[in-house]
Amino acid sequence: MVLAEEFYENNIKKNRKESQELNVKVSIVGWSRLVVVILAVVIDYILYTQNSLKTIILVTIIFSIIFLALVFYHNNIFECKKKLDLLVEINEEGIKRLNGEFKYFKDNGEEYLDNKHSFINDLDIFGNNSVFQYINSTVTKGGREELSRVLKKEKILVVQEIRERQEAIKELGEKVSWRQKLIVEGKLKRSKDIDLNGLLKWSKVSESSSYLRIAIACTFIFVTLCSIYLIAVQKIPAAFLLLDLMVNYLVIKIMSKGIKEEIKLFENTKCAIYSYSRILELIENENFNSIYLKRLQDKLRSETTSCTEEMKKFSKIVDWAGNSSYNAYYLLFNIIIFLDVFLMSSLEKWREKNGDKLDIWLDVMHEIDALSSISNLSFENDKWIYPVILDTDGVEGAVIGHPLLGKRAVKNSFSLIDNRRVALITGSNMSGKSTFLRTIGVNLILSYIGAPVCAEKFSCGIMNVYTCMRTKDNLEESISSFYAEILRIKILIEACKKGEKIFFLLDEIFKGTNSKDRHTGATVLIKQLIQYGGFGLVSTHDLELCDLENEDRRIVNYNFREFYEKNKIKFDYILRRGKSETQNAIQLMKLAGIGIEIEK
């Protein structure tokens, strides 16, 4: 049994058992609360009939304390149970990834699909059955966005950075229990759509008018307390207090106009901030060994400030501020002691001290969230390897498989280095050409984000990946699939001319035109790409194109073949040197039941 599979199954059994045990406790404590309430009412009624007022007060206080203790205990047990249930869910998702069932995960990142991007659509980076759907286990909005950015290769990394990320991802892969704690904390009180930009914008505001607001609030609080005292000593009528509270309410409304949007912001972010404080605590207190993770962790620490302590304070203040619009107790306190004013003053003091650090802390959290997500690959695929990142261009690997195909992947060895610049891949329909192009492409992208790859050996230089594989008609822009292909090729050529290091994957180029034009266009294109220093793979049905290998040693031929067994077509998906010698279009038509007569 695979180590990851054993780990996940053992954790599912353990956590499910503990959850069931806690479920019994939850029921017992719940019924106990009801019994306490009934007993309190019955005893108070009996004492009431005996005119024992002092005893009623004492009994009520005692039962109230017991009830509150049970409520607190019940909430703790319920939270523990929820964490255990989340752990069961997390480990079940791990089993699904191992079984290739990740395509059923809800979050596939389809909003990141972009027809104009150089590779993400062709390589299934986002969308159904995609790399993102396979990898993603992020629990923060920023972590999810960070993962999308690295997969889109928006962050350009140098060789040393990739190597440091590899070390970090490998370490996080081994810290699976810690990573699961991070996921639990992120999911426990998860916000559906936190206004992260609004929160960061608030943290950068330097204006403060809290001193004036506090002075006004203290004046009205003093008047209210004096009113209560004078009513208690019967100097003024009780109705005066009602008038005083109405005035307080109006004053609060006027003073809150400037902070209304801020209060609304914290209502929407309080759950997320609580989760962030817990996640940052896990990160700051963990013992990391890799340089990359230590460097990130150091950003949370300073001689005067503890990120953990400051975020806990922030969470507590925000939790109060977030209750302002729907908590009756809060409304009462607000009218009497101007709670809004003092909370906003506390928030402004916190911002003054930590506002310039908040975005740094959150960036650290988001990056580690994304790295932890990528490290699923490391933990769940113990036979995958970390690629060697070269200072030179090219790709070479042994026993390379498509990362998304799991056990179904047929693995091949491949080399395109030194003086070899272009590999022509020929083969019959359905023989595996397109899948092999994606195999190389996806493993390259994983290499560039510091992840392990599906291979026994893999080395590559850092190159910008360009693909032309799934071009299609765009009726809105009146673009045919052939013209769409031309536009992508144009972008590729322009990138080469700019001096970019290019790795291209071209699948059956110029298939929308006649065979003569296709051959001529492909020949000219390949020669141009070599001239401008490009590396890459071109799949084609044009066997005459393979003659270029004899003209230019920088071009090498590979092929896939088919065979027939009991009148059925079979594929072994094995990559071989040389050009294809077989074709299967006619045979496939016959197998589909289409009668074909070939004239002699």
Side-chain angles (χ1 to χ4, degrees):
M1 182 181 286
V2 179
L3 177 64
E5 186 178 4
E6 185 178 358
F7 177 89
Y8 288 143
E9 288 183 352
N10 288 341
N11 271 274
I12 289 169
K13 290 177 185 177
K14 175 177 171 287
N15 292 314
R16 188 171 282 157
K17 182 181 177 183
E18 291 179 9
S19 176
Q20 289 169 351
E21 290 172 355
L22 282 183
N23 198 40
V24 175
K25 286 186 179 181
V26 168
S27 298
I28 292 171
V29 175
W31 282 107
S32 299
R33 287 164 57 181
L34 180 60
V35 170
V36 167
V37 172
I38 293 171
L39 281 174
V41 171
V42 171
I43 294 172
D44 281 351
Y45 176 75
I46 293 170
L47 292 171
Y48 174 74
T49 58
Q50 296 175 357
N51 293 320
S52 184
L53 183 60
K54 290 182 180 179
T55 310
I56 289 174
I57 294 171
L58 180 62
V59 168
T60 302
I61 291 171
I62 291 170
F63 274 99
S64 296
I65 292 171
I66 295 171
F67 180 80
L68 290 172
L70 286 171
V71 168
F72 183 76
Y73 184 54
H74 182 271
N75 289 341
N76 280 348
I77 296 174
F78 190 78
E79 185 171 300
C80 288
K81 182 185 181 304
K82 191 174 180 182
K83 285 184 177 181
L84 290 168
D85 291 339
L86 283 171
L87 282 169
V88 170
E89 180 185 308
I90 292 163
N91 285 280
E92 285 177 341
E93 286 179 357
I95 293 288
K96 288 178 181 177
R97 278 195 299 271
L98 290 172
N99 294 335
E101 297 174 1
F102 58 89
K103 61 184 177 182
Y104 300 114
F105 295 167
K106 290 181 181 179
D107 189 5
N108 61 16
E110 61 184 358
E111 73 271 28
Y112 298 119
L113 288 169
D114 181 3
N115 287 323
K116 295 180 180 179
H117 193 276
S118 64
F119 65 80
I120 60 174
N121 283 22
D122 286 340
L123 297 184
D124 301 310
I125 303 300
F126 302 102
N128 290 326
N129 204 26
S130 65
V131 175
F132 181 87
Q133 195 174 24
Y134 178 33
I135 292 176
N136 180 43
S137 62
T138 56
V139 289
T140 64
K141 184 177 180 180
R144 186 176 182 273
E145 291 174 354
E146 172 69 13
L147 180 59
S148 75
R149 280 194 291 271
V150 295
L151 286 173
K152 286 188 284 186
K153 211 168 177 284
E154 288 182 7
K155 298 179 73 173
I156 307 300
L157 303 175
V158 298
V159 174
Q160 186 59 31
E161 286 176 316
I162 294 174
R163 289 171 182 167
E164 288 179 357
R165 282 176 66 93
Q166 288 178 343
E167 187 184 346
I169 288 167
K170 185 176 182 180
E171 181 178 357
L172 288 172
E174 294 168 355
K175 290 179 178 290
V176 59
S177 296
W178 179 85
R179 287 191 291 111
Q180 290 193 352
K181 288 178 185 177
L182 186 146
I183 295 172
V184 167
E185 294 298 348
K187 285 187 172 184
L188 194 62
K189 293 187 178 182
R190 195 170 191 171
S191 296
K192 289 185 179 179
D193 188 22
I194 176 177
D195 184 6
L196 195 58
N197 291 331
L199 182 62
L200 292 174
K201 186 178 178 181
W202 169 86
S203 71
K204 299 303 178 186
V205 175
S206 57
E207 295 179 3
S208 176
S209 57
S210 61
Y211 295 111
L212 177 60
R213 290 201 300 263
I214 288 174
I216 295 170
C218 288
T219 302
F220 280 90
I221 291 169
F222 178 74
V223 172
T224 301
L225 294 176
C226 288
S227 300
I228 293 171
Y229 172 74
L230 292 173
I231 290 168
V233 297
Q234 298 181 346
K235 294 290 185 180
I236 59 173
F240 185 83
L241 180 60
L242 181 61
L243 178 63
D244 177 74
L245 294 177
M246 288 175 65
V247 171
N248 285 0
Y249 180 78
L250 291 172
V251 172
I252 289 168
K253 278 291 182 184
I254 294 169
M255 292 174 65
S256 297
K257 281 184 179 179
I259 59 177
K260 190 174 181 181
E261 288 302 315
E262 291 185 2
I263 291 173
K264 187 177 179 181
L265 171 66
F266 294 122
E267 285 177 1
N268 296 331
T269 58
K270 67 172 187 174
C271 289
I273 291 170
Y274 173 81
S275 297
Y276 292 174
S277 70
R278 301 295 292 268
I279 292 170
L280 285 165
E281 182 178 6
L282 281 171
I283 295 170
E284 187 176 3
N285 294 335
E286 183 60 18
N287 182 27
F288 293 119
N289 296 314
S290 66
I291 295 170
Y292 198 86
L293 293 175
K294 280 184 175 180
R295 192 182 299 133
L296 288 173
Q297 192 179 49
D298 287 342
K299 293 180 181 180
L300 304 180
R301 297 170 173 170
S302 71
E303 294 179 1
T304 57
T305 306
S306 165
C307 169
T308 298
E309 294 303 316
E310 293 302 321
M311 285 301 295
K312 281 181 179 178
K313 290 177 186 176
F314 190 37
S315 179
K316 287 175 182 177
I317 300 168
V318 168
D319 190 47
W320 271 99
N323 288 324
S324 60
S325 63
Y326 51 84
N327 191 312
Y329 293 107
Y330 184 96
L331 180 61
L332 180 62
F333 279 119
N334 201 18
I335 294 172
I336 296 173
I337 60 172
F338 286 67
L339 200 53
D340 272 357
V341 173
F342 289 100
L343 281 173
M344 293 314 298
S345 173
S346 297
L347 285 167
E348 285 176 359
K349 286 179 181 177
W350 190 93
R351 178 173 62 190
E352 187 178 343
K353 181 180 180 182
N354 303 299
D356 60 334
K357 305 181 190 75
L358 183 61
D359 58 342
I360 297 171
W361 294 344
L362 295 185
D363 283 346
V364 169
M365 178 184 69
H366 296 153
E367 184 158 5
I368 289 185
D369 189 19
L371 288 170
S372 297
S373 191
I374 296 168
S375 67
N376 286 324
L377 295 174
S378 177
F379 177 66
E380 294 170 1
N381 300 282
D382 53 348
K383 292 184 180 179
W384 290 18
I385 57 97
Y386 286 89
V388 176
I389 306 301
L390 305 172
D391 293 318
T392 56
D393 296 342
V395 175
E396 185 174 33
V399 196
I400 312 165
H402 196 300
L404 301 182
L405 293 179
K407 296 175 183 177
R408 296 179 292 123
V410 176
K411 300 178 179 181
N412 289 287
S413 296
F414 176 76
S415 177
L416 195 67
I417 56 171
D418 299 330
N419 63 324
R420 301 291 193 186
R421 312 291 297 191
V422 176
L424 295 176
I425 315 294
T426 52
S428 55
N429 297 298
M430 304 191 303
S431 60
K433 301 188 300 298
S434 300
T435 299
F436 181 71
L437 263 61
R438 291 191 178 92
T439 297
I440 298 299
V442 172
N443 279 303
L444 272 177
I445 300 306
L446 292 180
S447 299
Y448 297 150
I449 68 174
V453 297
C454 183
E456 284 188 5
K457 290 182 181 179
F458 198 82
S459 57
C460 61
I462 299 178
M463 301 167 284
N464 293 331
V465 179
Y466 284 79
T467 64
C468 183
M469 302 180 73
R470 284 179 178 151
T471 52
K472 56 185 179 180
D473 297 344
N474 188 326
L475 298 179
E476 291 182 4
E477 298 182 18
S478 300
I479 294 175
S480 68
S481 60
F482 179 68
Y483 190 61
E485 188 176 27
I486 294 294
L487 292 177
R488 288 191 72 84
I489 296 296
K490 179 186 176 184
I491 294 170
L492 168 59
I493 292 293
E494 287 176 349
C496 284
K497 287 181 177 179
K498 289 177 184 175
E500 288 185 31
K501 292 185 175 182
I502 297 297
F503 190 89
F504 53 85
L505 297 165
L506 309 180
D507 190 21
E508 297 183 27
I509 52 172
F510 306 136
K511 53 185 173 289
T513 187
N514 63 70
S515 58
K516 184 178 180 180
D517 282 350
R518 180 172 64 245
H519 178 78
T520 303
T523 301
V524 171
L525 174 61
I526 290 168
K527 288 181 177 180
Q528 276 195 13
L529 290 172
I530 292 174
Q531 178 187 345
Y532 293 125
F535 271 84
L537 285 73
V538 179
S539 75
T540 181
H541 284 292
D542 182 2
L543 298 182
E544 291 181 14
L545 203 60
C546 296
D547 294 340
L548 290 172
E549 183 184 47
N550 300 324
E551 301 174 16
D552 193 332
R553 292 183 179 181
R554 292 172 294 182
I555 299 172
V556 59
N557 288 325
Y558 285 94
N559 75 88
F560 289 96
R561 299 176 188 174
E562 82 281 0
F563 60 95
Y564 297 90
E565 209 173 77
K566 296 180 180 179
N567 205 34
K568 290 184 178 180
I569 191 168
K570 301 281 185 179
F571 302 97
D572 60 13
Y573 307 112
I574 300 298
L575 184 70
R576 297 173 175 85
R577 280 282 283 111
K579 74 175 182 179
S580 173
E581 302 294 342
T582 61
Q583 295 178 330
N584 67 2
I586 300 299
Q587 187 66 23
L588 283 173
M589 293 173 73
K590 287 181 178 179
L591 291 174
I594 301 173
I596 300 292
E597 291 185 7
I598 302 175
E599 293 183 4
K600 296 182 180 179

